[in-house]
PDB file of all heavy atoms in Angstrom:
ATOM      1  N   GLN W  96     -52.335-178.403 -19.995  1.00  0.00           N
ATOM      2  CA  GLN W  96     -53.517-177.574 -20.251  1.00  0.00           C
ATOM      3  C   GLN W  96     -53.927-176.740 -19.044  1.00  0.00           C
ATOM      4  O   GLN W  96     -55.116-176.403 -18.875  1.00  0.00           O
ATOM      5  CB  GLN W  96     -54.721-178.422 -20.720  1.00  0.00           C
ATOM      6  CG  GLN W  96     -54.593-178.953 -22.128  1.00  0.00           C
ATOM      7  CD  GLN W  96     -53.592-180.100 -22.208  1.00  0.00           C
ATOM      8  OE1 GLN W  96     -53.681-181.043 -21.426  1.00  0.00           O
ATOM      9  NE2 GLN W  96     -52.658-180.005 -23.141  1.00  0.00           N
ATOM     10  N   THR W  97     -52.989-176.445 -18.229  1.00  0.00           N
ATOM     11  CA  THR W  97     -53.260-175.558 -17.095  1.00  0.00           C
ATOM     12  C   THR W  97     -51.955-174.892 -16.650  1.00  0.00           C
ATOM     13  O   THR W  97     -50.872-175.358 -16.998  1.00  0.00           O
ATOM     14  CB  THR W  97     -53.854-176.326 -15.907  1.00  0.00           C
ATOM     15  OG1 THR W  97     -54.252-175.374 -14.889  1.00  0.00           O
ATOM     16  CG2 THR W  97     -52.836-177.282 -15.288  1.00  0.00           C
ATOM     17  N   VAL W  98     -52.080-173.787 -15.916  1.00  0.00           N
ATOM     18  CA  VAL W  98     -50.921-173.090 -15.367  1.00  0.00           C
ATOM     19  C   VAL W  98     -51.092-172.988 -13.862  1.00  0.00           C
ATOM     20  O   VAL W  98     -52.128-172.518 -13.382  1.00  0.00           O
ATOM     21  CB  VAL W  98     -50.774-171.679 -15.977  1.00  0.00           C
ATOM     22  CG1 VAL W  98     -49.623-170.931 -15.308  1.00  0.00           C
ATOM     23  CG2 VAL W  98     -50.552-171.755 -17.486  1.00  0.00           C
ATOM     24  N   TYR W  99     -50.108-173.444 -13.139  1.00  0.00           N
ATOM     25  CA  TYR W  99     -50.149-173.402 -11.677  1.00  0.00           C
ATOM     26  C   TYR W  99     -49.709-171.998 -11.222  1.00  0.00           C
ATOM     27  O   TYR W  99     -48.577-171.780 -10.777  1.00  0.00           O
ATOM     28  CB  TYR W  99     -49.260-174.497 -11.090  1.00  0.00           C
ATOM     29  CG  TYR W  99     -49.703-175.883 -11.530  1.00  0.00           C
ATOM     30  CD1 TYR W  99     -49.054-176.516 -12.595  1.00  0.00           C
ATOM     31  CD2 TYR W  99     -50.773-176.512 -10.903  1.00  0.00           C
ATOM     32  CE1 TYR W  99     -49.461-177.770 -13.028  1.00  0.00           C
ATOM     33  CE2 TYR W  99     -51.182-177.777 -11.333  1.00  0.00           C
ATOM     34  CZ  TYR W  99     -50.539-178.399 -12.390  1.00  0.00           C
ATOM     35  OH  TYR W  99     -50.955-179.625 -12.808  1.00  0.00           O
ATOM     36  N   THR W 100     -50.646-171.073 -11.350  1.00  0.00           N
ATOM     37  CA  THR W 100     -50.344-169.646 -11.200  1.00  0.00           C
ATOM     38  C   THR W 100     -49.812-169.309  -9.818  1.00  0.00           C
ATOM     39  O   THR W 100     -48.769-168.650  -9.671  1.00  0.00           O
ATOM     40  CB  THR W 100     -51.601-168.806 -11.477  1.00  0.00           C
ATOM     41  OG1 THR W 100     -52.118-169.161 -12.758  1.00  0.00           O
ATOM     42  CG2 THR W 100     -51.258-167.314 -11.465  1.00  0.00           C
ATOM     43  N   ARG W 101     -50.527-169.764  -8.780  1.00  0.00           N
ATOM     44  CA  ARG W 101     -50.095-169.395  -7.425  1.00  0.00           C
ATOM     45  C   ARG W 101     -48.711-169.966  -7.106  1.00  0.00           C
ATOM     46  O   ARG W 101     -47.885-169.310  -6.469  1.00  0.00           O
ATOM     47  CB  ARG W 101     -51.121-169.895  -6.406  1.00  0.00           C
ATOM     48  CG  ARG W 101     -52.438-169.128  -6.451  1.00  0.00           C
ATOM     49  CD  ARG W 101     -53.360-169.576  -5.345  1.00  0.00           C
ATOM     50  NE  ARG W 101     -53.706-170.997  -5.501  1.00  0.00           N
ATOM     51  CZ  ARG W 101     -54.312-171.729  -4.552  1.00  0.00           C
ATOM     52  NH1 ARG W 101     -54.581-171.181  -3.382  1.00  0.00           N
ATOM     53  NH2 ARG W 101     -54.604-172.990  -4.777  1.00  0.00           N
ATOM     54  N   THR W 102     -48.491-171.193  -7.566  1.00  0.00           N
ATOM     55  CA  THR W 102     -47.182-171.804  -7.335  1.00  0.00           C
ATOM     56  C   THR W 102     -46.079-171.029  -8.040  1.00  0.00           C
ATOM     57  O   THR W 102     -45.006-170.762  -7.468  1.00  0.00           O
ATOM     58  CB  THR W 102     -47.181-173.253  -7.830  1.00  0.00           C
ATOM     59  OG1 THR W 102     -48.221-173.971  -7.168  1.00  0.00           O
ATOM     60  CG2 THR W 102     -45.838-173.918  -7.563  1.00  0.00           C
ATOM     61  N   LEU W 103     -46.345-170.607  -9.281  1.00  0.00           N
ATOM     62  CA  LEU W 103     -45.339-169.877 -10.035  1.00  0.00           C
ATOM     63  C   LEU W 103     -45.096-168.483  -9.453  1.00  0.00           C
ATOM     64  O   LEU W 103     -43.972-167.975  -9.498  1.00  0.00           O
ATOM     65  CB  LEU W 103     -45.749-169.771 -11.508  1.00  0.00           C
ATOM     66  CG  LEU W 103     -45.729-171.088 -12.299  1.00  0.00           C
ATOM     67  CD1 LEU W 103     -46.119-170.854 -13.740  1.00  0.00           C
ATOM     68  CD2 LEU W 103     -44.351-171.750 -12.229  1.00  0.00           C
ATOM     69  N   VAL W 104     -46.152-167.865  -8.913  1.00  0.00           N
ATOM     70  CA  VAL W 104     -45.975-166.552  -8.280  1.00  0.00           C
ATOM     71  C   VAL W 104     -45.060-166.669  -7.063  1.00  0.00           C
ATOM     72  O   VAL W 104     -44.136-165.867  -6.866  1.00  0.00           O
ATOM     73  CB  VAL W 104     -47.325-165.946  -7.879  1.00  0.00           C
ATOM     74  CG1 VAL W 104     -47.124-164.719  -6.978  1.00  0.00           C
ATOM     75  CG2 VAL W 104     -48.111-165.558  -9.122  1.00  0.00           C
ATOM     76  N   ILE W 105     -45.310-167.703  -6.258  1.00  0.00           N
ATOM     77  CA  ILE W 105     -44.454-167.911  -5.083  1.00  0.00           C
ATOM     78  C   ILE W 105     -43.029-168.240  -5.505  1.00  0.00           C
ATOM     79  O   ILE W 105     -42.052-167.727  -4.947  1.00  0.00           O
ATOM     80  CB  ILE W 105     -45.024-169.048  -4.205  1.00  0.00           C
ATOM     81  CG1 ILE W 105     -46.372-168.611  -3.599  1.00  0.00           C
ATOM     82  CG2 ILE W 105     -44.046-169.410  -3.091  1.00  0.00           C
ATOM     83  CD1 ILE W 105     -47.088-169.710  -2.851  1.00  0.00           C
ATOM     84  N   THR W 106     -42.926-169.083  -6.541  1.00  0.00           N
ATOM     85  CA  THR W 106     -41.599-169.433  -7.058  1.00  0.00           C
ATOM     86  C   THR W 106     -40.877-168.191  -7.555  1.00  0.00           C
ATOM     87  O   THR W 106     -39.673-168.002  -7.313  1.00  0.00           O
ATOM     88  CB  THR W 106     -41.736-170.457  -8.195  1.00  0.00           C
ATOM     89  OG1 THR W 106     -42.411-171.628  -7.703  1.00  0.00           O
ATOM     90  CG2 THR W 106     -40.355-170.843  -8.737  1.00  0.00           C
ATOM     91  N   TRP W 107     -41.601-167.331  -8.292  1.00  0.00           N
ATOM     92  CA  TRP W 107     -40.991-166.094  -8.820  1.00  0.00           C
ATOM     93  C   TRP W 107     -40.465-165.216  -7.682  1.00  0.00           C
ATOM     94  O   TRP W 107     -39.358-164.692  -7.760  1.00  0.00           O
ATOM     95  CB  TRP W 107     -42.036-165.324  -9.633  1.00  0.00           C
ATOM     96  CG  TRP W 107     -41.526-164.009 -10.173  1.00  0.00           C
ATOM     97  CD1 TRP W 107     -40.861-163.806 -11.335  1.00  0.00           C
ATOM     98  CD2 TRP W 107     -41.627-162.729  -9.533  1.00  0.00           C
ATOM     99  NE1 TRP W 107     -40.528-162.477 -11.491  1.00  0.00           N
ATOM    100  CE2 TRP W 107     -40.989-161.783 -10.393  1.00  0.00           C
ATOM    101  CE3 TRP W 107     -42.185-162.278  -8.343  1.00  0.00           C
ATOM    102  CZ2 TRP W 107     -40.913-160.435 -10.088  1.00  0.00           C
ATOM    103  CZ3 TRP W 107     -42.101-160.934  -8.044  1.00  0.00           C
ATOM    104  CH2 TRP W 107     -41.472-160.024  -8.903  1.00  0.00           C
ATOM    105  N   MET W 108     -41.256-165.079  -6.620  1.00  0.00           N
ATOM    106  CA  MET W 108     -40.848-164.236  -5.492  1.00  0.00           C
ATOM    107  C   MET W 108     -39.588-164.787  -4.825  1.00  0.00           C
ATOM    108  O   MET W 108     -38.630-164.052  -4.556  1.00  0.00           O
ATOM    109  CB  MET W 108     -41.991-164.132  -4.482  1.00  0.00           C
ATOM    110  CG  MET W 108     -43.197-163.371  -5.000  1.00  0.00           C
ATOM    111  SD  MET W 108     -44.606-163.444  -3.862  1.00  0.00           S
ATOM    112  CE  MET W 108     -43.906-162.644  -2.433  1.00  0.00           C
ATOM    113  N   ILE W 109     -39.594-166.112  -4.557  1.00  0.00           N
ATOM    114  CA  ILE W 109     -38.433-166.717  -3.903  1.00  0.00           C
ATOM    115  C   ILE W 109     -37.211-166.642  -4.813  1.00  0.00           C
ATOM    116  O   ILE W 109     -36.092-166.335  -4.376  1.00  0.00           O
ATOM    117  CB  ILE W 109     -38.740-168.185  -3.528  1.00  0.00           C
ATOM    118  CG1 ILE W 109     -39.903-168.234  -2.516  1.00  0.00           C
ATOM    119  CG2 ILE W 109     -37.502-168.872  -2.965  1.00  0.00           C
ATOM    120  CD1 ILE W 109     -40.400-169.638  -2.234  1.00  0.00           C
ATOM    121  N   HIS W 110     -37.440-166.885  -6.090  1.00  0.00           N
ATOM    122  CA  HIS W 110     -36.375-166.844  -7.098  1.00  0.00           C
ATOM    123  C   HIS W 110     -35.729-165.451  -7.115  1.00  0.00           C
ATOM    124  O   HIS W 110     -34.500-165.308  -7.076  1.00  0.00           O
ATOM    125  CB  HIS W 110     -36.986-167.186  -8.463  1.00  0.00           C
ATOM    126  CG  HIS W 110     -35.975-167.566  -9.500  1.00  0.00           C
ATOM    127  ND1 HIS W 110     -36.307-168.083 -10.724  1.00  0.00           N
ATOM    128  CD2 HIS W 110     -34.619-167.496  -9.497  1.00  0.00           C
ATOM    129  CE1 HIS W 110     -35.220-168.307 -11.428  1.00  0.00           C
ATOM    130  NE2 HIS W 110     -34.183-167.961 -10.706  1.00  0.00           N
ATOM    131  N   MET W 111     -36.553-164.396  -7.185  1.00  0.00           N
ATOM    132  CA  MET W 111     -36.059-163.018  -7.221  1.00  0.00           C
ATOM    133  C   MET W 111     -35.266-162.674  -5.961  1.00  0.00           C
ATOM    134  O   MET W 111     -34.171-162.107  -6.020  1.00  0.00           O
ATOM    135  CB  MET W 111     -37.235-162.035  -7.354  1.00  0.00           C
ATOM    136  CG  MET W 111     -37.653-161.728  -8.775  1.00  0.00           C
ATOM    137  SD  MET W 111     -36.437-160.771  -9.723  1.00  0.00           S
ATOM    138  CE  MET W 111     -36.397-159.254  -8.789  1.00  0.00           C
ATOM    139  N   ILE W 112     -35.838-163.037  -4.817  1.00  0.00           N
ATOM    140  CA  ILE W 112     -35.210-162.680  -3.546  1.00  0.00           C
ATOM    141  C   ILE W 112     -33.838-163.333  -3.408  1.00  0.00           C
ATOM    142  O   ILE W 112     -32.840-162.671  -3.080  1.00  0.00           O
ATOM    143  CB  ILE W 112     -36.112-163.076  -2.365  1.00  0.00           C
ATOM    144  CG1 ILE W 112     -37.371-162.195  -2.353  1.00  0.00           C
ATOM    145  CG2 ILE W 112     -35.368-162.950  -1.036  1.00  0.00           C
ATOM    146  CD1 ILE W 112     -38.430-162.662  -1.375  1.00  0.00           C
ATOM    147  N   PHE W 113     -33.766-164.616  -3.708  1.00  0.00           N
ATOM    148  CA  PHE W 113     -32.515-165.328  -3.482  1.00  0.00           C
ATOM    149  C   PHE W 113     -31.463-165.016  -4.551  1.00  0.00           C
ATOM    150  O   PHE W 113     -30.272-164.907  -4.233  1.00  0.00           O
ATOM    151  CB  PHE W 113     -32.772-166.841  -3.401  1.00  0.00           C
ATOM    152  CG  PHE W 113     -33.265-167.287  -2.051  1.00  0.00           C
ATOM    153  CD1 PHE W 113     -34.614-167.227  -1.729  1.00  0.00           C
ATOM    154  CD2 PHE W 113     -32.373-167.732  -1.091  1.00  0.00           C
ATOM    155  CE1 PHE W 113     -35.061-167.610  -0.481  1.00  0.00           C
ATOM    156  CE2 PHE W 113     -32.813-168.131   0.158  1.00  0.00           C
ATOM    157  CZ  PHE W 113     -34.165-168.061   0.478  1.00  0.00           C
ATOM    158  N   ILE W 114     -31.891-164.875  -5.811  1.00  0.00           N
ATOM    159  CA  ILE W 114     -30.924-164.494  -6.853  1.00  0.00           C
ATOM    160  C   ILE W 114     -30.379-163.097  -6.566  1.00  0.00           C
ATOM    161  O   ILE W 114     -29.171-162.839  -6.632  1.00  0.00           O
ATOM    162  CB  ILE W 114     -31.565-164.542  -8.253  1.00  0.00           C
ATOM    163  CG1 ILE W 114     -31.864-165.984  -8.658  1.00  0.00           C
ATOM    164  CG2 ILE W 114     -30.646-163.884  -9.291  1.00  0.00           C
ATOM    165  CD1 ILE W 114     -30.637-166.834  -8.901  1.00  0.00           C
ATOM    166  N   GLY W 115     -31.287-162.157  -6.231  1.00  0.00           N
ATOM    167  CA  GLY W 115     -30.852-160.798  -5.902  1.00  0.00           C
ATOM    168  C   GLY W 115     -29.939-160.774  -4.698  1.00  0.00           C
ATOM    169  O   GLY W 115     -28.890-160.106  -4.705  1.00  0.00           O
ATOM    170  N   ALA W 116     -30.323-161.517  -3.647  1.00  0.00           N
ATOM    171  CA  ALA W 116     -29.515-161.536  -2.427  1.00  0.00           C
ATOM    172  C   ALA W 116     -28.140-162.135  -2.683  1.00  0.00           C
ATOM    173  O   ALA W 116     -27.127-161.655  -2.158  1.00  0.00           O
ATOM    174  CB  ALA W 116     -30.232-162.326  -1.339  1.00  0.00           C
TER     175      ALA W 116
END
Side-chain angles (χ1 to χ4, degrees):
Q96 288 74 51
T97 187
V98 176
Y99 300 98
T100 306
R101 289 185 298 168
T102 303
L103 291 181
V104 169
I105 293 173
T106 301
W107 178 87
M108 293 173 62
I109 298 172
H110 197 171
M111 272 292 297
I112 292 170
F113 279 85
I114 291 292

